Amino acid sequence: MLPKSFQACQRKFGPVRYIKKASMIRFNNITKVYQVKAAGHKRVVALDGISFGVEKGEFVSVVGRSGAGKTTLFKLLLMEEKPTGGSVLYKNENIYKFKPKNINNLRRNVGAVFQDYKLLPNMTVTENIAYVMKVIGSSDAEIRRDIPKILEIVELEDRAQNFPAELSGGEAQRAAIARALIHRPEVVLADEPTGNLDPYHTLDILKLFLKINEMGTTVILASHNREIINKLKKRVVTLDQGKIVRDEAKGRFSL
Amino acid sequence: MLTSLKRTIGLGWQNMVRDGGIAVANIFIMMIPILLVSSIFLLKDISRYMIDALQAKADISVYFNENTTEDDILKVKQDITSIPQVNEVKYISKDQALLDFTERHKDSATLMESLSQVNGNPFLASLNIKAMGMSDYDQVASFLGQEQYKAMVNKVNYSEKKSVIEKIFFLTAGVSKTGLILAAILGFVSVLVTFNTIRMAILNRREEIAIQRLVGASHWFIRGQFFVEGLIFGLLAAIFCFLISSGISWYANSSLEALMPGLNLWNNYMAGIGTMFLLQFATGTILGTISSMIATTRYLKV
């Protein structure tokens, strides 16, 4: 079905080719099925024919109960896993046809905050953040300049030289957020980024995500925190048992 | 490029220092193949000495009739020396043979008494011949069987000594062959052990490798760190092995010299010290870097 405005155009000017605006990220009929060995190779459908797009500069919340498929969606976008069916397009290109170099570039363009933080255990907070900058080829001067700033934003200045094992859950989460944002990625993927934060830090981190989104960064946030989703007043994609049950602009958490 | 290299080296060094326990274990395991290579190098002189000593015992003697003049015998000596397969020919005169016998058996009263009862010198002049290899003795014996020597030659003890000579050469060939097979088996096992130890160490860090991949690090950026780590392990292991092998050569020298006169292990070691260090350095670094690279590849597929 063509948009109403486009139909009006056609009536006025005759047949016109409709070019659908390309999404920055597009999930096309994505299916992911896991074979659970421990349960006698039982098939578990994590995602079942999901299709939706995310525009450049958009802020999208993906909500759903535990096991709804939010984390799987992120894993597919980061190419941590391959889908059973369907494709994921990044800037109109199927990421599963990427060459290794392009995979690295995709991951460098995406700042990811993982639910389990995924901080490098043998590196301090500063070194974890610096690692990403080293990967993208930032100079030592840039590393020295930017890291104190991001540590100040996430309030981890006094934990800069601590190892992940010495951090609380909330501190590790803020370190992971700092690492995801340090190189100003095009897209930020945040999987339950406030799951371990106290209300004070939750609000601050949300404000930070909104601010970077205002600056043009695309943000995709997965959460099952009703309060924060409703506070955001942004687009909400609701997943349930691997399917999209709602996709609303300025949506609310309504499961 | 230079910055990236500097960072890779820095990260490799940092990983090694922070995982101290595993680093120490890896270095110790890597010392096994290096020490094995070193011991082959050190034992080479000892086994050569032993083989030479054994082979020196293999010889045949040709005894000449009483009426053969010394000039004729020396002429035969010259003929035999011209055979390319002959290593050494020694002339033992009648008088020398008697002297040698007396010296050898001076403590045996029975033998000395028997000798005194014989009128004059009962010994014959002879040529003692050492050939290059076992099969060459056959050729020397055939040479002495020629018509022109028949009138002079009293006896060639080849048939009596044949079985002893064969045993000596079989034994020395066995020593060399067994040494090589043993070295090959031990070398293979130690390479396998080293490779698996490094693989286990890297297995511990597969999660870390996966994280590095997820933040966009290239294969070579990650591999480089493990390459540097492997290189440092190999280098340190080579240095320790160099110190150990130098110590052993110095310490064991006097004891070995007493056991094997003429063998100077320390001098031989010092003469080949550069080769030894290069050998240890190459074994350590090649083993360390290749094992790390192979082991890392498996976990880079994220």
Side-chain angles (χ1 to χ4, degrees):
Chain A
M1 184 71 181
L2 295 175
K4 279 183 181 173
S5 57
F6 190 76
Q7 287 171 8
C9 257
Q10 276 196 322
R11 277 197 298 276
K12 194 170 178 181
F13 301 109
V16 178
R17 197 157 67 96
Y18 173 65
I19 300 168
K20 195 176 171 188
K21 189 184 170 190
S23 300
M24 186 177 199
I25 297 161
R26 176 127 208 110
F27 295 92
N28 274 335
N29 201 23
I30 283 285
T31 303
K32 178 69 189 175
V33 179
Y34 292 103
Q35 300 273 351
V36 185
K37 277 186 193 168
H41 291 275
K42 191 184 162 195
R43 276 166 53 90
V44 175
V45 181
L47 293 172
D48 188 4
I50 278 186
S51 295
F52 75 99
V54 178
E55 307 299 329
K56 189 177 186 316
E58 205 175 357
F59 194 121
V60 181
S61 301
V62 180
V63 303
R65 294 186 182 97
S66 290
K70 307 184 291 289
T71 303
T72 305
L73 208 62
F74 283 9
K75 282 184 175 175
L76 293 175
L77 183 55
L78 276 174
M79 300 187 71
E80 204 178 337
E81 285 184 17
K82 282 186 175 176
T84 313
S87 59
V88 179
L89 305 184
Y90 180 74
K91 293 180 178 173
N92 277 335
E93 282 188 75
N94 186 348
I95 61 171
Y96 294 100
K97 288 182 180 167
F98 274 3
K99 287 179 180 159
K101 196 183 165 188
N102 293 339
I103 296 173
N104 295 338
N105 286 335
L106 167 77
R107 287 170 173 166
R108 288 170 199 174
N109 285 335
V110 176
V113 182
F114 302 95
Q115 204 170 359
D116 54 353
Y117 327 127
K118 290 200 193 301
L119 293 169
L120 293 162
N122 279 337
M123 292 187 191
T124 63
V125 170
T126 300
E127 287 162 352
N128 260 284
I129 301 168
Y131 186 83
V132 178
M133 297 188 79
K134 285 176 182 173
V135 163
I136 62 161
S138 303
S139 67
D140 290 342
E142 285 170 322
I143 293 173
R144 279 194 299 272
R145 184 195 66 203
D146 292 351
I147 290 181
K149 287 183 192 167
I150 195 83
L151 285 174
E152 194 187 335
I153 292 170
V154 296
E155 294 184 16
L156 277 179
E157 305 103 303
D158 56 339
R159 293 300 210 175
Q161 298 313 318
N162 284 89
F163 288 94
E166 299 162 349
L167 304 175
S168 69
E171 286 167 340
Q173 200 147 36
R174 281 182 279 147
I177 291 167
R179 182 184 63 182
L181 303 181
I182 189 72
H183 58 302
R184 299 176 186 88
E186 288 182 347
V187 182
V188 170
L189 286 187
D191 192 5
E192 304 285 2
T194 55
N196 280 304
L197 300 183
D198 54 62
Y200 166 75
H201 281 118
T202 297
L203 203 64
D204 274 358
I205 293 300
L206 277 182
K207 279 180 189 166
L208 181 65
F209 281 137
L210 285 169
K211 195 174 172 186
I212 61 160
N213 177 242
E214 275 167 23
M215 289 160 75
T217 306
T218 309
V219 178
I220 308 177
L221 178 103
S223 179
H224 56 243
N225 187 324
R226 183 182 300 269
E227 201 184 334
I228 66 161
I229 298 298
N230 292 343
K231 206 171 271 178
L232 282 168
K233 294 189 174 66
K234 296 281 185 184
R235 180 181 166 195
V236 177
V237 175
T238 309
L239 295 181
D240 191 25
Q241 292 181 340
K243 288 183 174 170
I244 294 179
V245 290
R246 251 184 305 278
D247 184 352
E248 304 162 305
K250 294 193 179 174
R252 291 180 64 81
F253 195 115
S254 49
L255 263 175
Chain B
M1 182 72 184
L2 203 68
T3 312
S4 185
L5 186 71
K6 199 182 84 185
R7 284 174 179 172
T8 307
I9 294 171
L11 285 167
W13 175 258
Q14 182 181 290
N15 288 342
M16 194 198 78
V17 171
R18 297 215 173 138
D19 243 340
I22 288 184
V24 169
N26 273 334
I27 291 168
F28 271 102
I29 291 289
M30 283 190 69
M31 282 170 67
I32 298 172
I34 303 175
L35 280 176
L36 188 88
V37 170
S38 313
S39 65
I40 292 169
F41 189 84
L42 284 175
L43 291 174
K44 183 186 75 184
D45 291 329
I46 299 171
S47 66
R48 188 70 256 163
Y49 180 93
M50 285 165 72
I51 288 169
D52 286 349
L54 268 174
Q55 285 187 348
K57 293 193 187 308
D59 58 9
I60 58 170
S61 294
V62 48
Y63 297 93
F64 293 90
N65 291 326
E66 288 275 6
N67 54 359
T68 314
T69 63
E70 192 171 88
D71 285 347
D72 286 340
I73 296 172
L74 290 174
K75 173 79 179 52
V76 177
K77 184 190 173 196
Q78 211 174 347
D79 293 347
I80 297 170
T81 311
S82 64
I83 303 171
Q85 288 87 351
V86 169
N87 195 19
E88 191 190 336
V89 184
K90 196 176 160 193
Y91 169 58
I92 300 159
S93 65
K94 274 170 70 76
D95 296 340
Q96 183 65 45
L98 177 66
L99 204 70
D100 288 348
F101 183 87
T102 318
E103 180 62 31
R104 208 181 307 140
H105 303 290
K106 62 184 176 203
D107 299 329
S108 169
T110 324
L111 280 174
M112 287 298 112
E113 202 186 318
S114 310
L115 188 66
S116 65
Q117 282 170 7
V118 179
N119 282 331
N121 183 350
F123 295 98
L124 295 172
S126 65
L127 286 177
N128 184 267
I129 306 158
K130 289 187 199 303
M132 299 282 187
M134 189 177 72
S135 57
D136 301 328
Y137 284 99
D138 217 14
Q139 215 175 325
V140 175
S142 312
F143 181 84
L144 290 165
Q146 287 179 92
E147 201 56 45
Q148 59 188 101
Y149 303 120
K150 270 188 179 163
M152 290 185 272
V153 172
N154 179 283
K155 183 184 159 190
V156 180
N157 70 351
Y158 177 59
S159 55
E160 297 156 29
K161 279 197 140 184
K162 195 178 176 186
S163 65
V164 178
I165 291 170
E166 276 174 357
K167 271 180 197 158
I168 287 173
F169 277 92
F170 180 76
L171 199 70
T172 52
V175 168
S176 311
K177 220 181 273 176
T178 312
L180 273 176
I181 293 169
L182 205 69
I185 293 171
L186 286 175
F188 179 72
V189 170
S190 59
V191 165
L192 217 63
V193 168
T194 309
F195 173 71
N196 275 308
T197 309
I198 291 183
R199 202 167 70 98
M200 289 298 284
I202 291 175
L203 175 82
N204 268 338
R205 289 164 61 184
R206 65 188 190 281
E207 189 68 31
E208 216 176 306
I209 295 173
I211 297 170
Q212 295 183 15
R213 289 289 295 132
L214 287 174
V215 297
S218 67
H219 281 203
W220 282 105
F221 194 78
I222 300 168
R223 245 191 206 144
Q225 299 165 39
F226 288 95
F227 181 89
V228 169
E229 259 185 88
L231 190 74
I232 299 171
F233 289 158
L235 261 173
L236 289 176
I239 291 169
F240 289 139
C241 288
F242 180 71
L243 295 175
I244 291 171
S245 54
S246 301
I248 289 174
S249 306
W250 182 78
Y251 186 75
N253 187 45
S254 52
S255 318
L256 270 174
E257 211 167 8
L259 267 174
M260 301 172 178
L263 175 74
N264 193 319
L265 191 67
W266 178 245
N267 278 354
N268 290 348
Y269 179 78
M270 288 307 280
I273 197 163
T275 317
M276 171 64 110
F277 184 71
L278 275 178
L279 202 69
Q280 292 176 330
F281 176 78
T283 312
T285 50
I286 291 172
L287 206 60
T289 50
I290 292 181
S291 307
S292 305
M293 297 288 271
I294 296 172
T296 322
T297 305
R298 195 175 161 193
Y299 305 109
L300 283 172
K301 292 170 191 159
V302 182

